[in-house]
Amino acid sequence: MMTADTFAESVEFFGKEMFQNALAAVGNYGEIYTRHLASISPRLEINEINDGETTGLMYSHPLGKVDTVGPGPINGGVIERILQRGFLRCGIPGDKIKRVELDVEFCRALSASVLQRTPDNVSFQRYSDDDDVYLALENGDIDVYAGGEVDVGSDFLLPGLSFSNPYFHEGGKAFALVTREADVQWADFVYWVTMATIYAEENGITQNTSNEMPLVNLFGTDMERLLRDAILAVGNYDEMYRRVFGQNATRVGLNKLNASPFGPQHYPLPF
């Protein structure tokens, strides 16, 4: 078992001392759980460590009280700007690889959710340099970047950026939607659209039955159909996956659904 002294010798992003100090203070997750919770709540399998093979990580967090009415688009925020210009600006990787088509699918889902059933109102901009993506987000040249690499050594893990849950795993790498952290409302919106595709698959909701998705008022009553419109545009996660990788494609590893009975869901970011 890795100890505080041997942990992350090769990590340079934060400096290994930060991780060593944390472990020296409280121990690893299992030690913390045993110390505080094991006696009152046995550790369920969903709280175990995922080894990357046992089950997938595609799991939607509970939606909560969907009838709660939240604020509409904030003044000067990204959602308001998208509505005013009439289209979404989405950055995608410049690589000509198959996975980028999945990134495009999530951009279309966002467009449909913000602009109410108009998935094709997207302006795509390709980027090959992480620094260019960071500047594009900071300057407002793009609203979101699809395909951001989520690992501790990634150039994307810089102050000021926010990530959705990863929607694709490949060779230990995880990919997510990236937004500016300063616009919390937009970051939340992007997060829930990502979750919607997984929630739909978990509940057997497809593109043809998108009206079975719940109505939500989290971003004001004018956007109550945001989850339905996302699924109407692109379908559930499995439909998106098969449209990109082929109808007979086999989902393996972390890209599989983690559904009842739940398997391990804890998975550390790659170093």
Side-chain angles (χ1 to χ4, degrees), residues 233-264:
V234 299
N236 64 38
Y237 181 81
D238 191 63
E239 289 177 295
M240 298 165 70
Y241 190 97
R242 295 185 185 284
R243 192 158 52 245
V244 170
F245 297 105
Q247 291 300 313
N248 297 320
T250 300
R251 281 164 62 183
V252 297
L254 300 175
N255 295 317
K256 294 185 295 185
L257 200 65
N258 188 4
S260 182
F262 297 114

PDB file of all heavy atoms in Angstrom, residues 233-264:
ATOM      1  N   ALA A 233     -32.684  15.921 -28.617  1.00  0.00           N
ATOM      2  CA  ALA A 233     -31.682  16.254 -29.634  1.00  0.00           C
ATOM      3  C   ALA A 233     -30.703  15.121 -29.901  1.00  0.00           C
ATOM      4  O   ALA A 233     -30.395  14.809 -31.055  1.00  0.00           O
ATOM      5  CB  ALA A 233     -30.915  17.511 -29.210  1.00  0.00           C
ATOM      6  N   VAL A 234     -30.195  14.474 -28.836  1.00  0.00           N
ATOM      7  CA  VAL A 234     -29.091  13.520 -29.027  1.00  0.00           C
ATOM      8  C   VAL A 234     -29.370  12.129 -28.463  1.00  0.00           C
ATOM      9  O   VAL A 234     -28.578  11.204 -28.681  1.00  0.00           O
ATOM     10  CB  VAL A 234     -27.786  14.069 -28.399  1.00  0.00           C
ATOM     11  CG1 VAL A 234     -27.383  15.376 -29.064  1.00  0.00           C
ATOM     12  CG2 VAL A 234     -27.929  14.243 -26.890  1.00  0.00           C
ATOM     13  N   GLY A 235     -30.467  11.972 -27.715  1.00  0.00           N
ATOM     14  CA  GLY A 235     -30.733  10.681 -27.110  1.00  0.00           C
ATOM     15  C   GLY A 235     -29.962  10.486 -25.818  1.00  0.00           C
ATOM     16  O   GLY A 235     -29.303  11.405 -25.316  1.00  0.00           O
ATOM     17  N   ASN A 236     -30.047   9.298 -25.255  1.00  0.00           N
ATOM     18  CA  ASN A 236     -29.315   9.013 -24.018  1.00  0.00           C
ATOM     19  C   ASN A 236     -27.846   8.710 -24.329  1.00  0.00           C
ATOM     20  O   ASN A 236     -27.429   8.670 -25.490  1.00  0.00           O
ATOM     21  CB  ASN A 236     -29.980   7.880 -23.236  1.00  0.00           C
ATOM     22  CG  ASN A 236     -29.974   6.547 -23.968  1.00  0.00           C
ATOM     23  OD1 ASN A 236     -28.998   6.189 -24.642  1.00  0.00           O
ATOM     24  ND2 ASN A 236     -31.055   5.779 -23.842  1.00  0.00           N
ATOM     25  N   TYR A 237     -27.061   8.490 -23.275  1.00  0.00           N
ATOM     26  CA  TYR A 237     -25.620   8.305 -23.470  1.00  0.00           C
ATOM     27  C   TYR A 237     -25.316   7.127 -24.395  1.00  0.00           C
ATOM     28  O   TYR A 237     -24.438   7.216 -25.256  1.00  0.00           O
ATOM     29  CB  TYR A 237     -24.929   8.105 -22.122  1.00  0.00           C
ATOM     30  CG  TYR A 237     -23.426   7.939 -22.248  1.00  0.00           C
ATOM     31  CD1 TYR A 237     -22.606   9.049 -22.383  1.00  0.00           C
ATOM     32  CD2 TYR A 237     -22.833   6.679 -22.274  1.00  0.00           C
ATOM     33  CE1 TYR A 237     -21.232   8.911 -22.530  1.00  0.00           C
ATOM     34  CE2 TYR A 237     -21.467   6.527 -22.416  1.00  0.00           C
ATOM     35  CZ  TYR A 237     -20.673   7.640 -22.547  1.00  0.00           C
ATOM     36  OH  TYR A 237     -19.314   7.491 -22.703  1.00  0.00           O
ATOM     37  N   ASP A 238     -26.028   6.036 -24.230  1.00  0.00           N
ATOM     38  CA  ASP A 238     -25.759   4.861 -25.060  1.00  0.00           C
ATOM     39  C   ASP A 238     -26.079   5.138 -26.527  1.00  0.00           C
ATOM     40  O   ASP A 238     -25.345   4.690 -27.420  1.00  0.00           O
ATOM     41  CB  ASP A 238     -26.563   3.659 -24.562  1.00  0.00           C
ATOM     42  CG  ASP A 238     -26.128   2.360 -25.222  1.00  0.00           C
ATOM     43  OD1 ASP A 238     -24.965   1.962 -25.022  1.00  0.00           O
ATOM     44  OD2 ASP A 238     -26.935   1.757 -25.943  1.00  0.00           O
ATOM     45  N   GLU A 239     -27.158   5.878 -26.776  1.00  0.00           N
ATOM     46  CA  GLU A 239     -27.495   6.232 -28.158  1.00  0.00           C
ATOM     47  C   GLU A 239     -26.401   7.102 -28.770  1.00  0.00           C
ATOM     48  O   GLU A 239     -26.031   6.925 -29.939  1.00  0.00           O
ATOM     49  CB  GLU A 239     -28.838   6.961 -28.197  1.00  0.00           C
ATOM     50  CG  GLU A 239     -30.042   6.066 -27.900  1.00  0.00           C
ATOM     51  CD  GLU A 239     -31.338   6.834 -27.875  1.00  0.00           C
ATOM     52  OE1 GLU A 239     -31.502   7.700 -26.982  1.00  0.00           O
ATOM     53  OE2 GLU A 239     -32.202   6.587 -28.742  1.00  0.00           O
ATOM     54  N   MET A 240     -25.904   8.048 -27.997  1.00  0.00           N
ATOM     55  CA  MET A 240     -24.810   8.905 -28.471  1.00  0.00           C
ATOM     56  C   MET A 240     -23.569   8.071 -28.770  1.00  0.00           C
ATOM     57  O   MET A 240     -22.922   8.221 -29.809  1.00  0.00           O
ATOM     58  CB  MET A 240     -24.496   9.967 -27.424  1.00  0.00           C
ATOM     59  CG  MET A 240     -25.639  10.919 -27.115  1.00  0.00           C
ATOM     60  SD  MET A 240     -25.364  11.857 -25.592  1.00  0.00           S
ATOM     61  CE  MET A 240     -24.034  12.954 -26.082  1.00  0.00           C
ATOM     62  N   TYR A 241     -23.231   7.194 -27.841  1.00  0.00           N
ATOM     63  CA  TYR A 241     -22.036   6.359 -27.961  1.00  0.00           C
ATOM     64  C   TYR A 241     -22.088   5.508 -29.229  1.00  0.00           C
ATOM     65  O   TYR A 241     -21.106   5.429 -29.988  1.00  0.00           O
ATOM     66  CB  TYR A 241     -21.916   5.478 -26.721  1.00  0.00           C
ATOM     67  CG  TYR A 241     -20.605   4.740 -26.591  1.00  0.00           C
ATOM     68  CD1 TYR A 241     -19.587   5.244 -25.796  1.00  0.00           C
ATOM     69  CD2 TYR A 241     -20.382   3.527 -27.249  1.00  0.00           C
ATOM     70  CE1 TYR A 241     -18.377   4.575 -25.657  1.00  0.00           C
ATOM     71  CE2 TYR A 241     -19.184   2.855 -27.130  1.00  0.00           C
ATOM     72  CZ  TYR A 241     -18.184   3.372 -26.320  1.00  0.00           C
ATOM     73  OH  TYR A 241     -16.988   2.716 -26.201  1.00  0.00           O
ATOM     74  N   ARG A 242     -23.233   4.890 -29.473  1.00  0.00           N
ATOM     75  CA  ARG A 242     -23.351   3.994 -30.627  1.00  0.00           C
ATOM     76  C   ARG A 242     -23.439   4.760 -31.944  1.00  0.00           C
ATOM     77  O   ARG A 242     -23.016   4.253 -32.986  1.00  0.00           O
ATOM     78  CB  ARG A 242     -24.550   3.063 -30.437  1.00  0.00           C
ATOM     79  CG  ARG A 242     -24.363   2.127 -29.268  1.00  0.00           C
ATOM     80  CD  ARG A 242     -25.449   1.104 -29.101  1.00  0.00           C
ATOM     81  NE  ARG A 242     -25.228   0.333 -27.875  1.00  0.00           N
ATOM     82  CZ  ARG A 242     -24.316  -0.620 -27.745  1.00  0.00           C
ATOM     83  NH1 ARG A 242     -23.553  -0.937 -28.776  1.00  0.00           N
ATOM     84  NH2 ARG A 242     -24.175  -1.257 -26.601  1.00  0.00           N
ATOM     85  N   ARG A 243     -23.963   5.954 -31.906  1.00  0.00           N
ATOM     86  CA  ARG A 243     -23.986   6.768 -33.114  1.00  0.00           C
ATOM     87  C   ARG A 243     -22.568   7.159 -33.532  1.00  0.00           C
ATOM     88  O   ARG A 243     -22.260   7.273 -34.709  1.00  0.00           O
ATOM     89  CB  ARG A 243     -24.843   8.015 -32.865  1.00  0.00           C
ATOM     90  CG  ARG A 243     -25.182   8.798 -34.119  1.00  0.00           C
ATOM     91  CD  ARG A 243     -26.407   9.676 -33.957  1.00  0.00           C
ATOM     92  NE  ARG A 243     -26.329  10.548 -32.791  1.00  0.00           N
ATOM     93  CZ  ARG A 243     -27.146  10.464 -31.745  1.00  0.00           C
ATOM     94  NH1 ARG A 243     -28.099   9.536 -31.706  1.00  0.00           N
ATOM     95  NH2 ARG A 243     -27.031  11.286 -30.723  1.00  0.00           N
ATOM     96  N   VAL A 244     -21.704   7.345 -32.537  1.00  0.00           N
ATOM     97  CA  VAL A 244     -20.321   7.731 -32.813  1.00  0.00           C
ATOM     98  C   VAL A 244     -19.442   6.530 -33.137  1.00  0.00           C
ATOM     99  O   VAL A 244     -18.691   6.522 -34.122  1.00  0.00           O
ATOM    100  CB  VAL A 244     -19.727   8.506 -31.613  1.00  0.00           C
ATOM    101  CG1 VAL A 244     -18.221   8.704 -31.782  1.00  0.00           C
ATOM    102  CG2 VAL A 244     -20.425   9.850 -31.449  1.00  0.00           C
ATOM    103  N   PHE A 245     -19.518   5.487 -32.326  1.00  0.00           N
ATOM    104  CA  PHE A 245     -18.592   4.358 -32.444  1.00  0.00           C
ATOM    105  C   PHE A 245     -19.166   3.148 -33.165  1.00  0.00           C
ATOM    106  O   PHE A 245     -18.470   2.155 -33.370  1.00  0.00           O
ATOM    107  CB  PHE A 245     -18.112   3.936 -31.049  1.00  0.00           C
ATOM    108  CG  PHE A 245     -17.333   5.005 -30.337  1.00  0.00           C
ATOM    109  CD1 PHE A 245     -17.908   5.726 -29.300  1.00  0.00           C
ATOM    110  CD2 PHE A 245     -16.039   5.314 -30.716  1.00  0.00           C
ATOM    111  CE1 PHE A 245     -17.209   6.720 -28.633  1.00  0.00           C
ATOM    112  CE2 PHE A 245     -15.318   6.306 -30.067  1.00  0.00           C
ATOM    113  CZ  PHE A 245     -15.910   7.007 -29.025  1.00  0.00           C
ATOM    114  N   GLY A 246     -20.440   3.225 -33.558  1.00  0.00           N
ATOM    115  CA  GLY A 246     -21.061   2.119 -34.280  1.00  0.00           C
ATOM    116  C   GLY A 246     -22.115   1.421 -33.444  1.00  0.00           C
ATOM    117  O   GLY A 246     -21.960   1.263 -32.227  1.00  0.00           O
ATOM    118  N   GLN A 247     -23.178   1.000 -34.096  1.00  0.00           N
ATOM    119  CA  GLN A 247     -24.293   0.379 -33.392  1.00  0.00           C
ATOM    120  C   GLN A 247     -23.908  -0.911 -32.683  1.00  0.00           C
ATOM    121  O   GLN A 247     -24.529  -1.296 -31.697  1.00  0.00           O
ATOM    122  CB  GLN A 247     -25.445   0.106 -34.376  1.00  0.00           C
ATOM    123  CG  GLN A 247     -26.125   1.367 -34.885  1.00  0.00           C
ATOM    124  CD  GLN A 247     -26.718   2.188 -33.744  1.00  0.00           C
ATOM    125  OE1 GLN A 247     -27.386   1.659 -32.872  1.00  0.00           O
ATOM    126  NE2 GLN A 247     -26.471   3.489 -33.767  1.00  0.00           N
ATOM    127  N   ASN A 248     -22.874  -1.572 -33.163  1.00  0.00           N
ATOM    128  CA  ASN A 248     -22.446  -2.831 -32.554  1.00  0.00           C
ATOM    129  C   ASN A 248     -21.245  -2.659 -31.629  1.00  0.00           C
ATOM    130  O   ASN A 248     -20.640  -3.650 -31.201  1.00  0.00           O
ATOM    131  CB  ASN A 248     -22.115  -3.862 -33.645  1.00  0.00           C
ATOM    132  CG  ASN A 248     -23.325  -4.230 -34.484  1.00  0.00           C
ATOM    133  OD1 ASN A 248     -24.429  -4.381 -33.954  1.00  0.00           O
ATOM    134  ND2 ASN A 248     -23.138  -4.363 -35.786  1.00  0.00           N
ATOM    135  N   ALA A 249     -20.901  -1.422 -31.339  1.00  0.00           N
ATOM    136  CA  ALA A 249     -19.749  -1.155 -30.480  1.00  0.00           C
ATOM    137  C   ALA A 249     -20.003  -1.691 -29.071  1.00  0.00           C
ATOM    138  O   ALA A 249     -21.114  -1.600 -28.550  1.00  0.00           O
ATOM    139  CB  ALA A 249     -19.473   0.344 -30.420  1.00  0.00           C
ATOM    140  N   THR A 250     -18.963  -2.262 -28.474  1.00  0.00           N
ATOM    141  CA  THR A 250     -19.061  -2.788 -27.118  1.00  0.00           C
ATOM    142  C   THR A 250     -18.454  -1.789 -26.145  1.00  0.00           C
ATOM    143  O   THR A 250     -17.277  -1.436 -26.263  1.00  0.00           O
ATOM    144  CB  THR A 250     -18.312  -4.129 -26.995  1.00  0.00           C
ATOM    145  OG1 THR A 250     -18.882  -5.066 -27.908  1.00  0.00           O
ATOM    146  CG2 THR A 250     -18.421  -4.669 -25.570  1.00  0.00           C
ATOM    147  N   ARG A 251     -19.255  -1.323 -25.214  1.00  0.00           N
ATOM    148  CA  ARG A 251     -18.743  -0.421 -24.193  1.00  0.00           C
ATOM    149  C   ARG A 251     -17.990  -1.219 -23.147  1.00  0.00           C
ATOM    150  O   ARG A 251     -18.507  -2.176 -22.584  1.00  0.00           O
ATOM    151  CB  ARG A 251     -19.891   0.362 -23.551  1.00  0.00           C
ATOM    152  CG  ARG A 251     -20.357   1.514 -24.408  1.00  0.00           C
ATOM    153  CD  ARG A 251     -21.695   2.044 -23.984  1.00  0.00           C
ATOM    154  NE  ARG A 251     -21.703   2.570 -22.630  1.00  0.00           N
ATOM    155  CZ  ARG A 251     -22.794   3.038 -22.043  1.00  0.00           C
ATOM    156  NH1 ARG A 251     -23.956   3.022 -22.683  1.00  0.00           N
ATOM    157  NH2 ARG A 251     -22.741   3.511 -20.816  1.00  0.00           N
ATOM    158  N   VAL A 252     -16.768  -0.816 -22.901  1.00  0.00           N
ATOM    159  CA  VAL A 252     -15.934  -1.559 -21.966  1.00  0.00           C
ATOM    160  C   VAL A 252     -15.395  -0.622 -20.889  1.00  0.00           C
ATOM    161  O   VAL A 252     -15.418   0.598 -21.014  1.00  0.00           O
ATOM    162  CB  VAL A 252     -14.755  -2.251 -22.695  1.00  0.00           C
ATOM    163  CG1 VAL A 252     -15.257  -3.268 -23.678  1.00  0.00           C
ATOM    164  CG2 VAL A 252     -13.880  -1.212 -23.409  1.00  0.00           C
ATOM    165  N   GLY A 253     -14.889  -1.233 -19.822  1.00  0.00           N
ATOM    166  CA  GLY A 253     -14.217  -0.475 -18.786  1.00  0.00           C
ATOM    167  C   GLY A 253     -15.074   0.605 -18.161  1.00  0.00           C
ATOM    168  O   GLY A 253     -16.260   0.424 -17.885  1.00  0.00           O
ATOM    169  N   LEU A 254     -14.482   1.768 -17.963  1.00  0.00           N
ATOM    170  CA  LEU A 254     -15.122   2.857 -17.236  1.00  0.00           C
ATOM    171  C   LEU A 254     -16.265   3.506 -17.999  1.00  0.00           C
ATOM    172  O   LEU A 254     -17.048   4.263 -17.410  1.00  0.00           O
ATOM    173  CB  LEU A 254     -14.075   3.914 -16.881  1.00  0.00           C
ATOM    174  CG  LEU A 254     -12.918   3.419 -16.009  1.00  0.00           C
ATOM    175  CD1 LEU A 254     -11.881   4.518 -15.819  1.00  0.00           C
ATOM    176  CD2 LEU A 254     -13.417   2.923 -14.652  1.00  0.00           C
ATOM    177  N   ASN A 255     -16.394   3.244 -19.293  1.00  0.00           N
ATOM    178  CA  ASN A 255     -17.477   3.829 -20.083  1.00  0.00           C
ATOM    179  C   ASN A 255     -18.791   3.064 -19.968  1.00  0.00           C
ATOM    180  O   ASN A 255     -19.794   3.458 -20.551  1.00  0.00           O
ATOM    181  CB  ASN A 255     -17.074   3.931 -21.558  1.00  0.00           C
ATOM    182  CG  ASN A 255     -15.926   4.904 -21.764  1.00  0.00           C
ATOM    183  OD1 ASN A 255     -15.925   5.977 -21.179  1.00  0.00           O
ATOM    184  ND2 ASN A 255     -14.955   4.516 -22.567  1.00  0.00           N
ATOM    185  N   LYS A 256     -18.788   1.978 -19.204  1.00  0.00           N
ATOM    186  CA  LYS A 256     -20.021   1.237 -18.975  1.00  0.00           C
ATOM    187  C   LYS A 256     -20.862   1.948 -17.918  1.00  0.00           C
ATOM    188  O   LYS A 256     -20.354   2.711 -17.103  1.00  0.00           O
ATOM    189  CB  LYS A 256     -19.715  -0.189 -18.519  1.00  0.00           C
ATOM    190  CG  LYS A 256     -19.024  -1.052 -19.550  1.00  0.00           C
ATOM    191  CD  LYS A 256     -18.865  -2.483 -19.069  1.00  0.00           C
ATOM    192  CE  LYS A 256     -17.941  -2.574 -17.886  1.00  0.00           C
ATOM    193  NZ  LYS A 256     -17.674  -3.978 -17.484  1.00  0.00           N
ATOM    194  N   LEU A 257     -22.156   1.665 -17.943  1.00  0.00           N
ATOM    195  CA  LEU A 257     -23.058   2.222 -16.943  1.00  0.00           C
ATOM    196  C   LEU A 257     -22.803   1.550 -15.587  1.00  0.00           C
ATOM    197  O   LEU A 257     -22.589   0.347 -15.513  1.00  0.00           O
ATOM    198  CB  LEU A 257     -24.501   1.970 -17.380  1.00  0.00           C
ATOM    199  CG  LEU A 257     -25.604   2.841 -16.781  1.00  0.00           C
ATOM    200  CD1 LEU A 257     -25.446   4.286 -17.208  1.00  0.00           C
ATOM    201  CD2 LEU A 257     -26.965   2.304 -17.205  1.00  0.00           C
ATOM    202  N   ASN A 258     -22.798   2.354 -14.548  1.00  0.00           N
ATOM    203  CA  ASN A 258     -22.746   1.800 -13.194  1.00  0.00           C
ATOM    204  C   ASN A 258     -24.151   1.880 -12.624  1.00  0.00           C
ATOM    205  O   ASN A 258     -24.559   2.880 -12.039  1.00  0.00           O
ATOM    206  CB  ASN A 258     -21.776   2.587 -12.308  1.00  0.00           C
ATOM    207  CG  ASN A 258     -21.565   1.911 -10.957  1.00  0.00           C
ATOM    208  OD1 ASN A 258     -22.075   0.820 -10.702  1.00  0.00           O
ATOM    209  ND2 ASN A 258     -20.820   2.567 -10.077  1.00  0.00           N
ATOM    210  N   ALA A 259     -24.928   0.840 -12.858  1.00  0.00           N
ATOM    211  CA  ALA A 259     -26.338   0.847 -12.480  1.00  0.00           C
ATOM    212  C   ALA A 259     -26.607  -0.250 -11.464  1.00  0.00           C
ATOM    213  O   ALA A 259     -25.775  -1.130 -11.227  1.00  0.00           O
ATOM    214  CB  ALA A 259     -27.218   0.661 -13.711  1.00  0.00           C
ATOM    215  N   SER A 260     -27.793  -0.201 -10.882  1.00  0.00           N
ATOM    216  CA  SER A 260     -28.190  -1.143  -9.843  1.00  0.00           C
ATOM    217  C   SER A 260     -28.065  -2.601 -10.337  1.00  0.00           C
ATOM    218  O   SER A 260     -28.564  -2.937 -11.415  1.00  0.00           O
ATOM    219  CB  SER A 260     -29.633  -0.858  -9.429  1.00  0.00           C
ATOM    220  OG  SER A 260     -30.022  -1.732  -8.399  1.00  0.00           O
ATOM    221  N   PRO A 261     -27.387  -3.492  -9.571  1.00  0.00           N
ATOM    222  CA  PRO A 261     -26.708  -3.181  -8.312  1.00  0.00           C
ATOM    223  C   PRO A 261     -25.417  -2.398  -8.562  1.00  0.00           C
ATOM    224  O   PRO A 261     -24.624  -2.749  -9.451  1.00  0.00           O
ATOM    225  CB  PRO A 261     -26.403  -4.560  -7.726  1.00  0.00           C
ATOM    226  CG  PRO A 261     -26.268  -5.443  -8.938  1.00  0.00           C
ATOM    227  CD  PRO A 261     -27.252  -4.912  -9.938  1.00  0.00           C
ATOM    228  N   PHE A 262     -25.220  -1.333  -7.785  1.00  0.00           N
ATOM    229  CA  PHE A 262     -24.091  -0.446  -8.016  1.00  0.00           C
ATOM    230  C   PHE A 262     -22.763  -1.104  -7.685  1.00  0.00           C
ATOM    231  O   PHE A 262     -22.626  -1.800  -6.675  1.00  0.00           O
ATOM    232  CB  PHE A 262     -24.241   0.834  -7.195  1.00  0.00           C
ATOM    233  CG  PHE A 262     -25.438   1.653  -7.576  1.00  0.00           C
ATOM    234  CD1 PHE A 262     -26.480   1.838  -6.697  1.00  0.00           C
ATOM    235  CD2 PHE A 262     -25.519   2.234  -8.829  1.00  0.00           C
ATOM    236  CE1 PHE A 262     -27.590   2.595  -7.052  1.00  0.00           C
ATOM    237  CE2 PHE A 262     -26.621   2.991  -9.200  1.00  0.00           C
ATOM    238  CZ  PHE A 262     -27.666   3.167  -8.305  1.00  0.00           C
ATOM    239  N   GLY A 263     -21.792  -0.844  -8.547  1.00  0.00           N
ATOM    240  CA  GLY A 263     -20.431  -1.286  -8.283  1.00  0.00           C
ATOM    241  C   GLY A 263     -19.609  -0.122  -7.755  1.00  0.00           C
ATOM    242  O   GLY A 263     -20.134   0.968  -7.509  1.00  0.00           O
ATOM    243  N   PRO A 264     -18.304  -0.319  -7.593  1.00  0.00           N
ATOM    244  CA  PRO A 264     -17.436   0.735  -7.055  1.00  0.00           C
ATOM    245  C   PRO A 264     -17.487   2.004  -7.917  1.00  0.00           C
ATOM    246  O   PRO A 264     -17.415   1.934  -9.141  1.00  0.00           O
ATOM    247  CB  PRO A 264     -16.050   0.097  -7.106  1.00  0.00           C
ATOM    248  CG  PRO A 264     -16.315  -1.372  -7.076  1.00  0.00           C
ATOM    249  CD  PRO A 264     -17.568  -1.560  -7.853  1.00  0.00           C
TER     250      PRO A 264
END
